[in-house]
């Protein structure tokens, strides 16, 4: 269907929906409407929304490659607002639509999409950040919360006008830092300091990411992926499972710091026991800094990945960088997973992503190429020795595939050993892949198993 026909269909559906004084009652839900600048309220029923979705999808699909990137659902919401404004202004003024009104709709939507660069900040935890701040990894910077407060500012307009508290607003940094340092619980602060207090009071770090060429909400999603990838990459380099719990964004699903156990026997409670979870750091700052200093050579490769995540359109290897970042995400979730079986499935998926669905043969080919290890190399010794080929089969076929397909359903079946082996292999492959990609100058590819091996 042509855009003109689809536009006319949407207008007819809006007319029908708004001819009924309470169009939402027949559908059994709350009213769905847009209040417009002309003062007219435009209602949308189910058939109207379906027609509008088809129209906005057609317009969305035909946007030029150079257009500001935006999520399809957000684009629909902007189309909904714009067509409501167009409809209400024509009704209010008694005008008919032009010959090609869908062009006016497209222009109105694009006008509402902001195209300026956005710098996003994500409260987080990062090990030893007080002594490392600022920690720069390619286009991403991690500050201690105190350093971040010191380097950001509000506009003069906000300082003069916000909450009618110009005096407190001018001292917002001092007020906020004092509240964060206080051992007592603060309920509310004066002026601008209060707007930031709840966001940063419990997190020692803030991750800074600047994204250009994307609509605001869409750019924040991209920035969050980059921020999370940065913290997970640092944890990958630190080679400690605990670090994946201790270097996270504020909104991660994490266990509590302390885990309690309560037992009863013969009708009587024992005294409760408790242990610290993996979120509790047992390493000293000096130990962490020593390891991070040794992984400085990885910051260039990590930064290369992050640049591809933030701005894939200008990156030479956008497919490979995003494939690596996705594989790291699966690996990191495997590290944070409490259930060994599910962890093996996630880590196996990480290897699958790197090799682009190569299954056992593809994963084995990739690992052999990246690490220089032959398929018949004895990777596991002891009671049940296995070659690299046999181990990959265990991880992928016995582990990942059978777990995800429901063959393993005994919750007490042990996957502890397989988890240990798969973690070691996946970490090694991720590190080899990111270093190889950093030095690779050939064409962009779909899989790391197709890259030429390191010299």
């Amino acid at each position: 269907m042509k855009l003109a026909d689809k536009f006319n269909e949407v207008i007819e559906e809006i007319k029908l929906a708004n001819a009924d004084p309470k169009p939402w009652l027949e559908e059994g839900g709350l009213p769905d409407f847009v209040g417009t600048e002309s003062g007219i309220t435009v209602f949308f029923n189910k058939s109207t929304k379906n027609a509008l979705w088809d129209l906005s999808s057609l317009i969305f699909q035909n946007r030029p490659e150079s257009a500001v990137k935006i999520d399809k659902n957000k684009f629909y919401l902007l189309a909904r607002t714009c067509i409501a404004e167009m409809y209400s202004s024509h009704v209010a003024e008694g005008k008919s639509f032009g010959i090609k009104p869908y062009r006016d709709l497209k222009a109105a939507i694009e006008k509402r999409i902001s195209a300026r660069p956005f710098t996003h900040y994500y409260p987080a935890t990062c090990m030893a950040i007080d002594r490392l701040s600022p920690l720069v990894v390619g286009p991403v910077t991690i500050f201690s919360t105190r350093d971040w407060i010191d380097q950001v500012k509000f506009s003069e307009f906000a300082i003069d006008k916000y909450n009618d508290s110009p005096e407190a607003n001018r001292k917002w940094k001092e007020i906020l830092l004092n509240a964060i340092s206080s051992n007592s619980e603060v309920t509310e602060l004066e002026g601008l300091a209060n707007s930031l207090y709840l966001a940063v009071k419990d997190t020692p770090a803030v991750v800074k990411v600047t994204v250009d060429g994307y609509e605001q909400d869409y750019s924040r999603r991209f920035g969050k992926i980059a921020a999370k990838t940065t913290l997970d990459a640092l944890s990958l380099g630190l080679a400690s499972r605990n670090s994946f719990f201790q270097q996270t964004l504020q909104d991660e699903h994490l266990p509590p710091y302390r885990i309690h156990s309560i037992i009863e026997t013969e009708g009587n409670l024992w005294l409760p026991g408790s242990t610290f979870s993996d979120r509790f750091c047992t390493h000293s700052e000096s130990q962490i800094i020593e390891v991070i200093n040794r992984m400085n050579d990885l910051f260039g490769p990590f930064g290369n990945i992050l640049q591809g995540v933030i701005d894939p359109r200008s990156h030479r290897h956008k497919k490979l960088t995003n494939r690596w970042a996705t594989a790291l995400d699966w690996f990191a979730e495997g590290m944070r997973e409490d259930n060994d079986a599910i962890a093996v499935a996630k880590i196996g998926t990480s290897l699958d992503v790197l090799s682009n669905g190569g299954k056992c043969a593809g994963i084995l080919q990739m690992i052999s190429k990246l690490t220089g290890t032959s398929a018949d190399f004895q990777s596991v010794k002891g009671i049940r020795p296995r070659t690299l080929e046999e181990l990959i089969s265990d991880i992928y076929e016995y582990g990942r595939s059978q777990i995800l397909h429901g063959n393993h359903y005994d919750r007490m079946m042990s996957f502890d050993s397989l988890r240990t082996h798969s973690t070691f292999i996946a970490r090694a492959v991720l590190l080899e892949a990111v270093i190889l990609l950093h030095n690779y100058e050939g064409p962009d590819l779909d899989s790391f198993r197709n890259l030429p091996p390191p010299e």
Side-chain angles (χ1 to χ4, degrees):
M1 182 178 286
K2 295 180 179 180
L3 278 173
D5 295 333
K6 181 54 67 175
F7 180 90
N8 291 333
E9 180 186 337
V10 173
I11 294 300
E12 290 304 314
E13 290 290 350
I14 291 176
K15 288 179 180 177
L16 289 172
N18 287 268
D20 186 337
K22 295 182 179 180
W24 62 91
L25 290 180
E26 289 185 9
E27 297 179 2
L30 294 172
D32 187 357
F33 60 88
V34 173
T36 65
E37 293 178 2
S38 65
I40 295 175
T41 299
V42 179
F43 291 94
F44 292 81
N45 60 15
K46 185 176 180 179
S47 59
T48 308
K49 288 184 282 189
N50 288 340
L52 179 57
W53 174 260
D54 290 342
L55 173 61
S56 69
S57 296
L58 280 172
I59 297 173
F60 184 84
Q61 291 165 12
N62 288 290
R63 297 179 78 225
E65 183 64 27
S66 59
V68 177
K69 299 302 180 186
I70 183 172
D71 178 75
K72 189 175 182 179
N73 291 314
K74 181 65 178 291
F75 190 84
Y76 163 79
L77 293 176
L78 291 179
R80 179 172 169 270
T81 298
C82 291
I83 204 162
E85 290 289 352
M86 289 178 68
Y87 177 81
S88 66
S89 64
H90 283 72
V91 169
E93 298 174 18
K95 297 190 304 183
S96 59
F97 291 99
I99 298 174
K100 294 185 177 179
Y102 61 86
R103 290 183 176 176
D104 296 333
L105 176 63
K106 289 197 291 186
I109 296 171
E110 295 296 339
K111 188 176 179 180
R112 287 177 179 264
I113 302 175
S114 178
R116 61 175 182 254
F118 293 98
T119 296
H120 301 286
Y121 296 105
Y122 305 89
T125 57
C126 185
M127 297 160 71
I129 190 60
D130 284 336
R131 289 175 57 185
L132 291 167
S133 176
L135 182 61
V136 179
V137 187
V140 177
T141 304
I142 309 173
F143 296 95
S144 71
T145 298
R146 288 180 166 276
D147 287 349
W148 176 76
I149 291 170
D150 185 59
Q151 66 97 36
V152 294
K153 64 184 181 68
F154 285 103
S155 68
E156 285 298 317
F157 180 84
I159 289 172
D160 289 338
K161 302 296 182 182
Y162 181 77
N163 209 28
D164 291 327
S165 305
E167 186 175 345
N169 291 341
R170 294 197 180 279
K171 298 190 295 182
W172 74 266
K173 294 186 179 186
E174 177 186 343
I175 294 170
L176 182 56
L177 287 170
N178 287 340
I180 291 173
S181 302
S182 174
N183 291 324
S184 58
E185 189 66 29
V186 179
T187 55
E188 189 171 355
L189 303 177
E190 270 194 281
L192 287 166
N194 192 60
S195 66
L196 287 173
Y197 177 66
L198 289 178
V200 300
K201 73 182 183 71
D202 295 322
T203 50
V206 177
V207 184
K208 174 185 177 182
V209 185
T210 299
V211 181
D212 194 6
Y214 294 82
E215 179 271 333
Q216 180 179 338
D217 291 341
Y218 209 38
S219 76
R220 180 162 181 79
R221 284 170 51 189
F222 266 80
K224 184 177 179 180
I225 292 171
K228 188 176 186 299
T229 301
T230 304
L231 296 174
D232 288 342
L234 291 174
S235 297
L236 180 74
L238 286 167
S240 165
R241 184 190 170 204
N242 289 9
S243 63
F244 285 92
F245 290 90
Q246 296 155 18
Q247 301 195 123
T248 62
L249 298 182
Q250 185 183 57
D251 59 355
E252 290 280 4
H253 297 294
L254 296 169
Y257 277 100
R258 188 182 286 272
I259 298 172
H260 301 273
S261 92
I262 304 174
I263 300 175
E264 176 188 306
T265 56
E266 299 178 354
N268 298 311
L269 284 176
W270 293 18
L271 290 177
S274 67
T275 58
F276 287 111
S277 74
D278 289 324
R279 292 182 68 187
F280 186 79
C281 185
T282 56
H283 302 289
S284 67
E285 282 194 346
S286 60
Q287 290 173 325
I288 296 166
I289 291 169
E290 183 181 350
V291 175
I292 288 179
N293 286 337
R294 286 208 308 266
M295 51 185 277
N296 272 338
D297 290 345
L298 289 172
F299 278 31
F302 288 160
N304 178 46
I305 293 290
L306 294 170
Q307 193 61 51
V309 170
I310 293 172
D311 190 10
R313 292 177 297 180
S314 66
H315 199 281
R316 184 174 184 175
H317 301 119
K318 63 180 180 181
K319 289 189 289 188
L320 286 169
T321 55
N322 279 282
R323 182 170 293 283
W324 189 91
T326 302
L328 175 65
D329 193 27
W330 277 106
F331 179 79
E333 291 306 307
M335 292 298 96
R336 285 188 279 264
E337 178 58 55
D338 182 61
N339 184 297
D340 287 339
I342 298 175
V344 169
K346 290 179 177 179
I347 296 168
T349 300
S350 174
L351 292 170
D352 210 20
V353 170
L354 278 178
S355 64
N356 190 15
K359 298 185 178 180
C360 282
I363 293 172
L364 180 62
Q365 176 192 353
M366 176 185 68
I367 293 175
S368 296
K369 183 182 288 188
L370 291 176
T371 65
T373 307
S374 64
D376 58 359
F377 176 78
Q378 188 175 329
S379 300
V380 180
K381 300 180 181 180
I383 298 174
R384 189 179 165 231
R386 276 159 288 173
T387 63
L388 178 62
E389 184 174 8
E390 290 168 338
L391 180 57
I392 297 306
S393 178
D394 275 357
I395 293 171
Y396 188 83
E397 296 292 353
Y398 174 77
R400 175 200 175 277
S401 294
Q402 292 196 34
I403 290 166
L404 293 179
H405 294 155
N407 299 83
H408 296 311
Y409 57 88
D410 182 356
R411 297 295 298 276
M412 298 307 294
M413 183 182 292
S414 176
F415 286 88
D416 178 68
S417 176
L418 191 56
R419 178 177 189 166
T420 300
H421 294 315
S422 60
T423 296
F424 178 83
I425 287 177
R427 178 179 182 270
V429 172
L430 281 164
L431 289 174
E432 291 293 339
V434 76
I435 293 169
L436 178 61
L437 179 59
H438 186 53
N439 299 313
Y440 173 64
E441 296 182 355
D444 200 9
L445 301 171
D446 290 319
S447 168
F448 279 88
R449 61 190 159 111
N450 296 326
L451 260 69
E455 297 179 359

